[in-house]
Amino acid sequence: ESSKGMVVSTHPVASAVGLEILKKGGNAIDAAVAVNFALAVCHPAAGNIGGGGFLVYRDAKGQNFALDYREKAPLKGHRDMYLDEKGNIIPGKSFVGIFSAGVPGTVAGMVEMHRKFGKLAWSELVAPSIELAKNGVVLTEKEARGLNRNKADFIKENPGKSYLIKMDTVTWKMGEKLIQTDLAETLTRIAAKKLKGFYAGKTADLLVAEMERQGGLISKKDLRKYRAVWRQPITQAYKNYQIIGMPPPSSGGIALAQLMQMVEKYPLASWGAASDSTIQVMVEAERRVYADRAKWLGDPDFVKVPVSELMDPSYVGQRMKTMSFDHATPSKEVAAGDFPAYESPETTHYSIVDEEGNAVSITTTLNNSYGSKVFVGGAGFLLNDEMDDFSAKAGVPNLYGLIGTKANEIQPQKRMLSSMTPTIITENNQLKMVVGTPGGSTIITSVFQVVLNVLEMKMNMQQAVEFPRFHHQWLPEQTRFEPKRFSEDQFSRLKSKGYEFSPTTAIGLVEGILILPSGKRQGGADSRGDDTVSAY
């Protein structure tokens, strides 16, 4: 707990960098920029300058903002780019290698949020990451394991390059220093020239040269045209709380708003987090919300997303009328709603609250772990594999098993649909919670469960993020679950009602900050990863 500033991120070094910026007099946005660039160095699996993300921001005066710096399809992208001559998906083409990369948005997002809200000098915010890349960051056990696990892909996708790769039999070890000289030089250009340090000049030359060398699609024109976009946040009342989330092309804000409405009428608090009834209500709500996600959600600059219709109380209430406590609703019987309109597990999240009460919730990603596995030659950073978040073919699952339709098909310059769910919650117009997580398709349900753990089950922030989780996404039929989430007796009861289960090791890495009645900030950092709270 702390009475001043707090940063919760997925890496101890990045959290410490953000805290130092707050101590220097920077605000939550300044800290967010510094944390982002630090994560690009110390958490290459998901921290990035070659990916994209979303910001949900609430200032100390109570104004809400949402910034979309999601990647885009290249100008040369097209609907059938991942299909063979028979119209079948080419395995792997959309999520590994140069052809899977979308136009990066992260640097544009950082520059834009700093332009609008930053206090400290831009170069001061990028400086810590330059030092980390130049002098080396000490590998955690998790980071060393991730690098070793992906070494074969790095070698395959980076012929003639040696970033993070040991070509001999030596493996990365916890405690070793990871030095990234070329990345330090790229960050130095960004520090000096902001947008032009990435989307033009030497960095752009190197990125496009990598595309040409390996047959990728991103051009100088793609980089020149990229812009981060301010959007209207999604807001939804839940009892005396207000849920503030990210609008499309994130599906997270709408999905969380629907989920919270669907469960509001049930006495979850008296049932308890572990009761059969609570689990059934949550699974059935998730099943219906993911069906809507598949049909209706996409980039609002390209398709009409029926936002108000999806969140309409009469529509949401009607969705749960077919739910029965006697048996599971088969997913084949759950269709998306009908409107007159016409839609990684490796991501990373960080939550920040500064001394004044400005609150930042940011989720950023390369999509899969280490993105496309392609490093930009001479620039030292990884490219995303976000093109897999489009529907490569309507009705066919992507890497995360998510189904999509026409609303999320590939078009040039279109942003791909995302599950990222950066969220801020207020109570009686006072800041209550800042939360988010990585986890691919499980992001929405992880945030949903942690929010209910705090608001309904009255857990503290750390208890809420530690509590074992489960996930249902309409298709496939199974409910995925973590160890210790269900008892054997509970399995038997729920299976007898038609529920199917699939075990998994971990779901999400939630970063949360809860504002206590005293005004103190209480941090929750997920022990499933290297997640760390830094505060003063």
Side-chain angles (χ1 to χ4, degrees):
E1 292 178 8
S2 96
S3 54
K4 293 185 179 178
M6 182 174 281
V7 179
V8 191
S9 88
T10 199
H11 198 285
V13 171
S15 293
V17 164
L19 189 66
E20 280 307 303
I21 294 297
L22 292 180
K23 285 181 174 178
K24 282 182 179 178
N27 61 21
I29 290 288
D30 292 323
V33 172
V35 167
N36 179 88
F37 287 117
L39 285 169
V41 179
C42 62
H43 184 50
N48 67 83
I49 57 174
F54 299 124
L55 159 77
V56 174
Y57 177 58
R58 182 183 187 271
D59 69 17
K61 296 173 184 173
Q63 298 178 94
N64 302 323
F65 304 88
L67 182 63
D68 170 6
Y69 51 99
R70 181 72 160 147
E71 302 89 333
K72 285 185 166 188
L75 286 160
K76 293 177 186 171
H78 58 89
R79 188 191 65 183
D80 300 331
M81 61 187 281
Y82 297 116
L83 306 183
D84 62 20
E85 63 278 359
K86 293 181 180 176
N88 297 317
I89 290 178
I90 301 167
K93 193 174 184 182
S94 66
F95 63 85
V96 69
I98 199 77
F99 214 59
S100 66
V103 183
T106 293
V107 176
M110 295 302 114
V111 170
E112 180 57 23
M113 69 180 74
H114 178 261
R115 180 197 68 78
K116 193 171 177 76
F117 297 113
K119 275 172 65 179
L120 300 185
W122 171 258
S123 57
E124 194 174 350
L125 307 180
V126 190
S129 60
I130 296 170
E131 290 306 306
L132 284 172
K134 197 183 294 180
N135 300 326
V137 62
V138 177
L139 286 172
T140 66
E141 188 273 334
K142 186 184 177 191
E143 294 293 346
R145 188 173 68 241
L147 291 169
N148 291 325
R149 191 173 59 237
N150 286 275
K151 186 164 72 169
D153 276 341
F154 291 150
I155 292 168
K156 181 183 172 211
E157 302 302 335
N158 296 276
K161 301 199 291 282
S162 60
Y163 300 118
L164 311 187
I165 308 160
K166 296 200 171 181
M167 304 298 279
D168 54 13
T169 56
V170 178
T171 55
W172 291 106
K173 294 184 179 67
M174 182 176 74
E176 283 186 340
K177 272 196 171 182
L178 181 67
I179 294 171
Q180 302 170 76
T181 308
D182 284 353
L183 179 56
E185 291 178 6
T186 298
L187 290 166
T188 300
R189 291 190 289 273
I190 292 168
K193 297 182 179 177
K194 297 185 180 179
L195 285 178
K196 290 181 179 176
F198 185 86
Y199 295 94
K202 185 176 181 180
T203 308
D205 290 343
L206 292 168
L207 198 160
V208 172
E210 188 67 51
M211 290 290 147
E212 290 170 351
R213 185 159 52 245
Q214 294 205 50
L217 300 183
I218 298 172
S219 66
K220 287 271 184 79
K221 189 174 182 182
D222 282 313
L223 296 173
R224 201 164 54 241
K225 284 172 72 74
Y226 188 89
R227 295 289 183 275
V229 181
W230 292 100
R231 300 198 186 275
Q232 186 65 34
I234 296 290
T235 55
Q236 174 63 47
Y238 176 79
K239 300 184 177 177
N240 58 330
Y241 304 102
Q242 191 82 358
I243 316 288
I244 305 156
M246 191 72 206
S250 168
S251 60
I254 290 175
L256 185 61
Q258 287 184 304
L259 287 167
M260 297 302 286
Q261 279 194 80
M262 284 181 183
V263 304
E264 186 172 3
K265 68 179 181 182
Y266 297 98
L268 302 183
S270 59
W271 287 346
S275 78
D276 292 7
S277 296
T278 296
I279 289 157
Q280 280 190 264
V281 165
M282 291 171 70
V283 167
E284 295 299 344
E286 290 168 6
R287 194 192 304 270
R288 287 153 176 79
V289 165
Y290 276 80
D292 277 345
R293 180 193 187 278
K295 180 173 181 179
W296 292 112
L297 299 185
D299 183 347
D301 296 339
F302 281 74
V303 295
K304 183 181 176 187
V305 181
V307 176
S308 58
E309 291 91 339
L310 284 165
M311 292 169 56
D312 183 85
S314 60
Y315 167 71
V316 175
Q318 165 260 321
R319 294 290 277 159
M320 288 294 275
K321 281 184 178 172
T322 54
M323 186 240 163
S324 168
F325 285 104
D326 296 333
H327 57 82
T329 311
S331 287
K332 66 178 184 292
E333 293 179 11
V334 177
D338 208 5
F339 305 114
Y342 140 45
E343 161 179 352
S344 139
E346 272 302 339
T347 302
T348 189
H349 180 88
Y350 50 102
S351 298
I352 301 173
V353 177
D354 64 23
E355 192 171 352
E356 293 176 0
N358 299 298
V360 159
S361 184
I362 283 181
T363 314
T364 180
T365 186
L366 289 167
N367 195 30
N368 198 16
S369 190
Y370 303 94
S372 64
K373 315 292 195 294
V374 175
F375 289 89
V376 173
F381 65 89
L382 281 157
L383 289 166
N384 66 81
D385 66 324
E386 293 294 357
M387 294 297 286
D388 188 65
D389 273 356
F390 281 116
S391 299
K393 184 178 181 181
V396 177
N398 73 352
L399 178 67
Y400 298 109
L402 289 169
I403 304 291
T405 59
K406 186 178 175 65
N408 193 37
E409 70 183 12
I410 302 166
Q411 290 176 255
Q413 295 284 287
K414 187 178 182 180
R415 288 171 161 90
M416 56 292 288
L417 185 61
S418 169
S419 295
M420 291 186 278
T421 313
T423 302
I424 293 173
I425 296 173
T426 61
E427 182 179 18
N428 301 322
N429 209 32
Q430 299 297 309
L431 183 63
K432 174 75 173 177
M433 187 173 12
V434 185
V435 67
T437 184
S441 62
T442 69
I443 291 174
I444 295 163
T445 54
S446 296
V447 172
F448 175 47
Q449 287 169 82
V450 170
V451 168
L452 288 178
N453 286 345
V454 173
L455 302 189
E456 292 292 347
M457 309 306 170
K458 304 306 178 189
M459 297 182 193
N460 68 34
M461 198 69 250
Q462 192 64 42
Q463 288 170 328
V465 303
E466 291 297 326
F467 200 74
R469 294 192 272 271
F470 62 89
H471 168 76
H472 198 289
Q473 62 182 49
W474 181 46
L475 296 171
E477 190 72 52
Q478 289 95 356
T479 298
R480 289 168 57 194
F481 66 95
E482 291 183 326
K484 300 181 182 176
R485 186 61 178 89
F486 304 115
S487 69
E488 286 305 316
D489 286 347
Q490 197 166 39
F491 271 135
S492 298
R493 290 193 302 271
L494 292 170
K495 284 178 179 176
S496 73
K497 293 181 178 183
Y499 290 95
E500 298 176 24
F501 294 93
S502 170
T504 188
T505 51
I507 297 174
L509 291 170
V510 179
E511 327 291 347
I513 298 175
L514 180 64
I515 310 301
L516 302 176
S518 65
K520 279 192 170 184
R521 292 90 165 95
Q522 184 184 78
D526 208 318
S527 68
R528 294 166 180 84
D530 294 324
D531 309 56
T532 307
V533 179
S534 289
Y536 75 110

